[in-house]
Amino acid sequence: MGIKSVMNTDRLFWLGRYSERVYTTLKLFSLSFDSLIEQSVDDHRAFCESLEIPDIYRDKDDFIDRYAFGLDDPNSIISNLYRAYDNAIELREEIGSETLSFIQMAIYEMKSAKRSEAPLLHFQKITDAILAFWGCADDQIDDENTRNIIKIGKRDRTDIQRDIRRLSWRICRTDLIYSQEGLRRLEELAEAPELDYDEIIRTVDALVEC
Amino acid sequence: MVNLDKLLKSTEDINGLLARYGVKFGIYKNGSFKEQLFPFDPIPRIIGKEEFSYLERGLKQRVTALNLFLKDVYGKKQIISDGVVPADFVYAASGYLAPCEGIVPPKEVFSHVSGIDLVLGKDGVWYILEDNLRVPSGASYPTIVRGLERRCSPRTFHDTPIEDNRNYPQLLRHVMDYVNTGGMNVVLTPGRYNAAYFEHSYLAEQMGMPLVTCNDLEVEGDTLYFTGYAGRKERVGAVYRRISDEYMDPMTFNPESLIGIPHIFDVYRKGNVALLNSPGNGIADDKGIYYFVPKMIEYYLHETPILHNAPTYLPFYEEDRSYVLEHFDTLVIKDVAPWSSRTWRRPAATASCSAISSARRRRSDSAP
C-alpha cells in the first residue's frame, strides 16, 4: 500500500512485540504450571526472577491465576495478549482480516482458558493461533515493509533468552565441537541489563569450531 | 425455490466465522464502550429479479433527483423560486449548511453512497421510509456475510441463482477513483471506538487503501496530505469520510471537534479534494424535505416517481393539516428535525425496514 502512517508503523512494531511476548511467556508459564501441579513448595519466585518481573503474587495459586489471567497485571499473559489485539484491531487494512483473525481467536481461547480447569489445553491453542498468525503474516502480507516492521518488534529480550537456552540445551547433545567459554559468555550477555546484539551475534558466530 | 435447509443448519458455523473475523459493532452502555458480535439471521428476505429491477430503477431515479436538488439548493435555488419547496423548509433545517453555498463537488456528485430505507407494506407495496445521504452505514456486513454463507452452504448458492453482492468495495473504490481530484484515496475514521469501526477497517482493507484518522492528514496550502512515518507526504485526492459534517473541520464547523482536520473544508471548497459524501447533504435527507422528494422527481426529471413515499402529510399545508387533525390517533407523528427520532405514535401496522444496500439481492423464478 506504500506510504504508512506514524501510528500504524508504531502499531505494527508493538503487534510483533506483544505477540512474541505472549508466545514466549505462554511457553515458559506452561512449563512452570506443569511443575507446580504437584509441588507443595512455592517456587513461583524463580519464574518472576527469570523474567525480571516484580513478584506481586501472594502464593502459587495467586501466581497461576493472576500471571495468566490478571487484567490488572501489566505483565500477565492476558494483558500482553490484549495489547497485541489492541494493535492488531487497528491494522486490519495493513495485515488483512485473515491474519488478524488469529489474534482474535487467541483472545477467545484465552477467555475459555480463564474459565477452564485445564488451561494448558487452551494455552496450546493460543500458541497454535500465534504461530498461525506469524505464518499468515508471512504468507498473506504482500508489503515487505509491513512484514519487516512486525518482525523487528517480534524480537525481544525473552525471545533472545529463550533462544540461547535452547541453543545451550541442543548444542551439548550434538557432535559439534564448541566453546564452553563462548556458551557461558552468551548466557551472561542474555542476562545483561542492555542487550548487546552485535556481541551476541559475534559470540554465536565464534561458538562452533569449523 | 431457494434451498434454505443447509443455510439454516449453518447458522452456528456462520456466527462462529463472524466471531473469528471480528465482525462487531460498538455500543456505549452505562458510560463504557462495549463491542458486540453482529448476530446473523439466516432467513433471507427474498427479492425476485423483476422486483429488484423495479426497486433499482426507482432508487436510481430518487437518488438522481436528490443529487440535482442538492446542486440546486446550494446553487441557483430554482426549486425554491419556482415554489416547489418552501424556503422555510430549507433554511430552517439543521441539515442545511450555509458554508456549502456555491460549492459544486467534483463531477457534481453530492451523494456517492445513499442509504435509502425501504419498507414492504402489508399491501405488498414498497415504500420509501427515509433517505440517508450523510454518512450511511452498514454495507460491509452483508458483504462479508455473503462470503461466509457461500463457504458454509455452497449448495444453497449452487441450487439457486442469487445475485452476488460482494463487489460493493470495488464499486465504492470505482466511485472514489471517478471523483478523485489527483492523489491517493483514503478512508477517514473517527477511531476504534466508533460503533461502525469494523466497517471502516473492513472497507479500507477490501478497497486496498489506508484507514486514517485526523492525525494522519494535514492541510498545507490548498492541498490535503497524508503524512507517513518517515515524514513523506502524499497528496490526497478523495476521502471516504465516516465523520459527521459538524466534526469534519473545526475551523468551519464545530470548533470543539478533536476528530476533524483543520481547513479540510477550504481544500474541498477549492475543488482540490473530493469528500464522500459531500458536506451539506443533510438538507436532502431532512424529514421535512422527504415530503417533497416525489415533487423533486417530477420537477427535475419530468418523470413520475417509480417508488412511493410512505403516505405523509405536512401540516404546513391547510389540506394536510385538516387530515392530520382528523386522523391524529391513527397517524405516526414525526418531528421534521433531521436525525430526530421523536415519534409520538407507533404505526398500527409495524413493518421492518432495511436499507437497500443491505437488502439481499435475490433472483428467483417465482414472482414476488
Side-chain angles (χ1 to χ4, degrees):
Chain A
M1 209 165 358
I3 193 167
K4 206 177 292 302
S5 72
V6 177
M7 284 304 292
N8 275 10
T9 306
D10 191 56
R11 287 184 190 117
L12 286 166
F13 174 82
W14 287 106
L15 171 60
R17 202 157 176 81
Y18 279 116
S19 59
E20 171 63 25
R21 180 56 65 98
V22 171
Y23 177 79
T24 309
T25 52
L26 208 51
K27 287 219 136 203
L28 296 172
F29 179 76
S30 296
L31 289 171
S32 288
F33 185 93
D34 180 78
S35 67
L36 287 169
I37 290 174
E38 291 119 342
Q39 261 182 31
S40 53
V41 181
D42 181 2
D43 70 347
H44 74 271
R45 284 182 191 81
F47 183 92
C48 294
E49 279 168 20
S50 72
L51 285 185
E52 297 178 359
I53 58 172
D55 180 9
I56 57 168
Y57 313 102
R58 285 192 308 275
D59 51 32
K60 171 179 102 169
D61 292 334
D62 188 44
F63 166 72
I64 289 173
D65 182 46
R66 289 171 63 199
Y67 184 73
F69 308 115
L71 286 168
D72 297 335
D73 178 0
N75 293 307
S76 71
I77 300 169
I78 197 168
S79 290
N80 283 290
L81 183 55
Y82 270 111
R83 298 297 79 76
Y85 173 77
D86 286 341
N87 287 286
I89 195 73
E90 301 206 46
L91 289 166
R92 185 185 294 271
E93 87 283 9
E94 294 272 7
I95 64 176
S97 287
E98 205 62 50
T99 311
L100 169 59
S101 74
F102 292 106
I103 299 292
Q104 182 72 68
M105 285 196 286
I107 290 276
Y108 295 136
E109 209 55 54
M110 183 55 101
K111 287 178 180 172
S112 300
K114 192 174 180 179
R115 295 190 297 266
S116 171
E117 287 185 3
L120 290 187
L121 284 173
H122 300 280
F123 289 169
Q124 182 58 56
K125 289 182 181 172
I126 298 169
T127 303
D128 293 348
I130 300 281
L131 287 169
F133 162 73
W134 288 330
C136 198
D138 257 338
D139 190 54
Q140 301 218 348
I141 299 174
D142 293 333
D143 184 44
E144 188 184 7
N145 191 28
T146 304
R147 292 198 306 270
N148 286 341
I149 296 170
I150 295 175
K151 286 177 183 175
I152 289 167
K154 187 172 173 294
R155 294 285 145 201
D156 79 351
R157 170 179 291 278
T158 47
D159 191 32
I160 300 270
Q161 288 170 337
R162 189 197 62 209
D163 286 349
I164 289 174
R165 275 192 217 112
R166 193 182 291 163
L167 177 68
S168 301
W169 188 85
R170 281 185 180 157
I171 202 164
C172 63
R173 286 167 175 76
T174 67
D175 296 333
L176 295 171
I177 302 166
Y178 62 95
S179 161
Q180 292 279 355
E181 178 54 33
L183 205 53
R184 273 194 296 277
R185 176 69 186 138
L186 265 181
E187 286 166 357
E188 281 171 19
L189 286 169
E191 299 301 327
E194 291 290 326
L195 285 180
D196 184 341
Y197 291 97
D198 290 340
E199 178 67 12
I200 289 172
I201 291 167
R202 276 196 298 275
T203 312
V204 170
D205 283 347
L207 193 64
V208 179
E209 293 175 18
C210 298
Chain B
M1 286 296 291
V2 178
N3 180 359
L4 289 176
D5 285 357
K6 286 276 181 189
L7 191 61
L8 291 172
K9 285 174 187 162
S10 304
T11 303
E12 200 176 321
D13 292 333
I14 292 171
N15 277 316
L17 286 170
L18 288 171
R20 171 185 175 136
Y21 292 112
V23 184
K24 298 174 184 176
F25 62 98
I27 50 169
Y28 285 92
K29 200 172 180 182
N30 301 327
S32 64
F33 177 80
K34 285 194 168 53
E35 282 181 325
Q36 287 195 348
L37 289 169
F38 216 92
F40 169 69
D41 177 0
I43 300 175
R45 172 166 296 176
I46 298 168
I47 302 174
K49 185 180 180 183
E50 199 178 311
E51 189 177 24
F52 188 85
S53 298
Y54 156 77
L55 289 174
E56 191 175 22
R57 283 197 308 277
L59 291 167
K60 281 180 177 171
Q61 181 194 54
R62 190 173 180 97
V63 171
T64 303
L66 286 165
N67 203 68
L68 289 169
F69 171 71
L70 283 162
K71 184 184 170 194
D72 187 18
V73 88
Y74 286 117
K76 294 177 179 172
K77 299 172 184 36
Q78 282 176 332
I79 199 165
I80 297 173
S81 52
D82 286 346
V84 179
V85 176
D88 289 356
F89 279 83
V90 174
Y91 299 118
S94 63
Y96 168 77
L97 299 180
C100 296
E101 277 294 339
I103 299 177
V104 179
K107 303 286 199 311
E108 299 190 355
V109 181
F110 286 79
S111 187
H112 312 78
V113 181
S114 307
I116 312 295
D117 284 5
L118 286 163
V119 62
L120 183 61
K122 277 187 171 176
D123 54 2
V125 176
W126 286 95
Y127 293 103
I128 303 284
L129 206 60
E130 64 178 20
D131 306 292
N132 297 284
L133 307 181
R134 299 173 215 207
V135 191
S137 173
S140 64
Y141 301 107
T143 307
I144 191 170
V145 163
R146 179 60 58 83
L148 305 181
E149 285 175 322
R150 291 171 66 90
R151 206 185 292 179
C152 293
S153 181
R155 177 57 66 182
T156 303
F157 294 85
H158 177 268
D159 293 348
T160 315
I162 298 173
E163 188 81 18
D164 202 341
N165 66 346
R166 291 173 296 167
N167 62 343
Y168 179 83
Q170 285 69 46
L171 290 174
L172 184 54
R173 165 125 207 174
H174 177 72
V175 172
M176 291 186 77
D177 289 340
Y178 177 68
V179 297
N180 191 301
T181 58
M184 63 192 294
N185 296 320
V186 297
V187 179
L188 174 63
T189 176
R192 180 185 164 185
Y193 297 106
N194 181 273
Y197 182 74
F198 163 78
E199 172 150 304
H200 309 166
S201 62
Y202 181 73
L203 289 177
E205 178 200 5
Q206 295 298 310
M207 291 194 287
M209 58 184 69
L211 179 67
V212 302
T213 64
C214 59
N215 296 321
D216 303 319
L217 299 179
E218 66 177 306
V219 171
E220 214 175 86
D222 293 335
T223 310
L224 181 68
Y225 289 101
F226 174 86
T227 309
Y229 71 94
R232 187 178 134 208
K233 288 181 180 176
E234 200 162 311
R235 184 180 169 183
V236 177
V239 181
Y240 177 45
R241 49 97 180 198
R242 298 297 297 257
I243 293 177
S244 304
D245 289 352
E246 59 268 39
Y247 295 108
M248 274 292 290
D249 183 348
M251 311 308 285
T252 304
F253 301 112
N254 186 344
E256 293 181 358
S257 171
L258 298 175
I259 55 173
I261 299 118
H263 299 295
I264 191 173
F265 193 78
D266 298 334
V267 180
Y268 168 69
R269 184 185 295 136
K270 285 173 181 157
N272 290 341
V273 71
L275 300 177
L276 296 82
N277 286 349
S278 300
N281 280 9
I283 184 57
D285 67 16
D286 181 88
K287 285 188 175 61
I289 294 295
Y290 165 86
Y291 179 88
F292 298 100
V293 179
K295 295 178 193 295
M296 281 177 207
I297 293 168
E298 290 166 358
Y299 179 77
Y300 291 119
L301 305 177
H302 310 293
E303 294 174 8
T304 304
I306 297 169
L307 291 170
H308 307 280
N309 273 8
T312 306
Y313 307 91
L314 207 57
F316 178 80
Y317 296 111
E318 177 59 39
E319 189 183 338
D320 283 4
R321 185 160 59 244
S322 303
Y323 184 90
V324 169
L325 291 173
E326 282 169 26
H327 299 85
F328 197 83
D329 291 343
T330 57
L331 292 170
V332 179
I333 310 293
K334 283 188 175 181
D335 193 339
V336 294
W339 295 106
S340 168
S341 57
R342 289 175 66 189
T343 301
W344 288 300
R345 187 172 176 84
R346 298 199 64 75
T350 306
S352 62
C353 61
S354 63
I356 189 61
S357 58
S358 64
R360 291 164 187 163
R361 295 177 174 194
R362 302 280 164 178
R363 215 187 299 158
S364 167
D365 292 331
S366 57

